[in-house]
Amino acid sequence: MDGIQKSRLLLDRVNEALTVLKKKPENGEKLYQMVYMTYISPEHLNHTELLYRLDMSSRHYYRLRQQAITILSIRLWAAPAKDVDFWLEILTLMEGLE
């Protein structure tokens, strides 16, 4: 049961970070679509197909991808103090899988 609760917390944090990304003024929807198509969508697109669907150049894609990753990283790792121990435990477990 404890594992399910921790998994749920992790999924909630990722969902919250994606929601924040999507609501970003100016280009939030585009950033969200890019992250979704690149990392989450069950449909695997090659780089050319991805650029076509997003209607952007490769250079613009990489610039926006870096921006999206930065926003998501800040949101995911800016955890309240009580959650830091949990995140450290997850990192330790993930390192053990390698």
Side-chain angles (χ1 to χ4, degrees):
M1 216 43 179
D2 192 40
I4 292 172
Q5 186 178 19
K6 288 181 179 180
S7 293
R8 181 63 192 184
L9 176 63
L10 182 61
L11 288 174
D12 287 346
R13 294 283 297 176
V14 170
N15 189 40
E16 177 189 351
L18 288 170
T19 300
V20 167
L21 181 68
K22 192 174 190 177
K23 291 182 179 179
K24 181 184 176 292
E26 295 178 28
N27 61 350
E29 185 66 37
K30 189 73 146 181
L31 292 172
Y32 173 81
Q33 288 300 322
M34 183 183 51
V35 168
Y36 180 81
M37 287 183 192
T38 303
Y39 301 110
I40 301 170
S41 174
E43 181 181 12
H44 180 71
L45 303 172
N46 67 37
H47 188 67
T48 306
E49 292 170 331
L50 187 61
L51 294 177
Y52 177 76
R53 289 202 186 169
L54 292 170
D55 190 29
M56 66 176 65
S57 69
S58 187
R59 183 176 176 187
H60 190 63
Y61 169 81
Y62 286 114
R63 187 171 53 250
L64 287 181
R65 188 181 73 168
Q66 185 58 48
Q67 182 182 5
I69 289 171
T70 300
I71 292 168
L72 291 172
S73 296
I74 290 168
R75 197 66 190 163
L76 288 172
W77 296 110
K82 67 183 179 85
D83 292 339
V84 171
D85 289 337
F86 167 73
W87 289 107
L88 291 174
E89 182 181 338
I90 292 293
L91 285 174
T92 303
L93 290 172
M94 290 175 72
E95 288 172 351
L97 295 174
E98 293 178 21

